Amino acid sequence: MTGFLARRETFERVGSTNDVVRDWLASGTPEVCLAVAREQTAGRGREGRIWVAPSGAALLLSLGFRPTWLAPERVWRLAAIVSLAMAEAAEATAGLPAGTVRLKWPNDLVIAVAPAPATDAPSGIRKLAGVLGETDGLGTTDPRAVVGLGLNADWAAADFPPALADSMTSLREAAGGRRIDLDRLLETFLAELEPRVESLRDGVFGVAGWVDRQVTTDRMIRLEAPHGDATTVRAIGVDPASGALIVEDPTALGSTRHVVVGEVTHVRLADPAPAQV
């Protein structure tokens, strides 16, 4: 089920798959195009953060779209369906129960872990993957969108970077140490993604799945702004129309406000994760 791809290439090593796909789109490559790499030397996340993984330990890919069929204010849904497709594929590939992989607004795939020692992050949430969406020309006749994703797949906990070991996980660890076949994970992801792309082209967005997987809903969170200020509020949910995070407004009892991606540099869970069952 990969016939929807106009171009697909796999690289042993590149700087950034997002840069590869952006260049393809700029040179006229039609959608949907896919670049996959075993290793990136200049992978990145939001706010210029670095994404590093050993060769063969992570699934690293970028998809390119020409979303003339999508209103500019809804282009964020491309990253959303990529995240949902990968969540489903990760669970299927690793043999995990449905709903194990959650979404942490705005751009992470995470897994809640069992009660953690005092050295662990207090939320009990571990990052599994990051998603980075980049756009050019929205609102013109030549809109382009690149969605990059890096997922910690066949990566043993003993090899995690010490500085990140308390905040990250991998499919291999979630599966109890079982090796993860990256090729199978990729093909399962593409099979999950294709119908979602076709549905989005038809104006249908899988709202329920996107809303239900949000780990921030009904949790206390810490919003950190670009200028350094931070506030702790309760997250109420997410807005399927705009993609915004809905939080309680501490200045007006019973009111809520919408937080958009550009307002924050970090969203941190401020309370413990619910215990796994």
Side-chain angles (χ1 to χ4, degrees):
M1 293 183 63
T2 58
F4 76 118
L5 295 177
R7 181 173 182 177
R8 172 179 178 172
E9 291 190 37
T10 299
F11 301 87
E12 192 66 26
R13 194 168 187 255
V14 297
S16 163
T17 54
N18 265 33
D19 291 343
V20 170
V21 170
R22 182 187 298 103
D23 289 346
W24 286 353
L25 292 174
S27 65
T29 299
E31 67 170 33
V32 176
C33 49
L34 168 69
V36 182
R38 288 182 57 81
E39 183 180 5
Q40 291 186 127
T41 59
R44 61 185 181 273
R46 287 186 65 239
E47 304 296 328
R49 291 188 283 269
I50 303 300
W51 181 276
V52 178
S55 178
L59 180 58
L60 308 169
L61 61 85
S62 295
L63 293 138
F65 300 89
R66 295 184 177 280
T68 54
W69 40 273
L70 198 56
E73 65 272 15
R74 293 185 176 178
V75 169
W76 65 268
R77 292 181 175 180
L78 291 171
I81 63 171
V82 167
S83 297
L84 286 170
M86 186 56 78
E88 295 276 357
E91 290 168 353
T93 303
L96 302 175
T100 298
V101 178
R102 308 291 298 279
L103 307 180
K104 184 171 84 69
W105 190 94
N107 68 325
D108 289 342
L109 278 68
V110 300
I111 292 179
V113 301
T119 55
D120 279 355
S123 67
I125 295 294
R126 299 291 177 271
K127 182 172 179 176
L128 177 69
V131 179
L132 177 64
E134 298 177 314
T135 60
D136 290 299
L138 295 188
T140 73
T141 57
D142 185 27
R144 307 168 203 163
V146 179
V147 181
L149 185 146
L151 182 140
N152 303 326
D154 195 38
W155 196 345
D159 298 325
F160 290 172
L164 301 176
D166 290 342
S167 62
M168 66 178 284
T169 190
S170 68
L171 271 190
R172 181 169 170 176
E173 290 303 312
R178 182 162 60 85
R179 299 298 299 267
I180 302 299
D181 185 329
L182 268 67
D183 290 336
R184 180 187 170 200
L185 176 61
L186 174 60
E187 297 308 319
T188 305
F189 163 70
L190 292 173
E192 291 285 349
L193 181 62
E194 181 173 1
R196 287 178 166 88
V197 171
E198 294 304 321
S199 292
L200 199 56
R201 283 183 176 136
D202 291 337
V204 179
F205 172 55
V207 172
W210 183 70
V211 170
D212 291 347
R213 284 189 185 264
Q214 297 293 331
V215 75
T216 51
T217 299
D218 202 30
R219 299 276 299 274
M220 297 302 296
I221 61 171
R222 178 180 171 86
L223 300 175
E224 299 180 5
H227 46 71
D229 289 349
T231 57
T232 299
V233 295
R234 180 172 295 280
I236 304 301
V238 285
D239 178 14
S242 67
L245 179 68
I246 305 172
V247 302
E248 289 182 347
D249 186 348
T251 67
L253 186 64
S255 297
T256 62
R257 69 182 184 92
H258 286 54
V259 178
V260 297
V261 173
E263 291 181 49
V264 294
T265 55
H266 290 282
V267 177
R268 304 189 189 279
L269 301 177
D271 58 358
Q276 287 187 318
V277 296

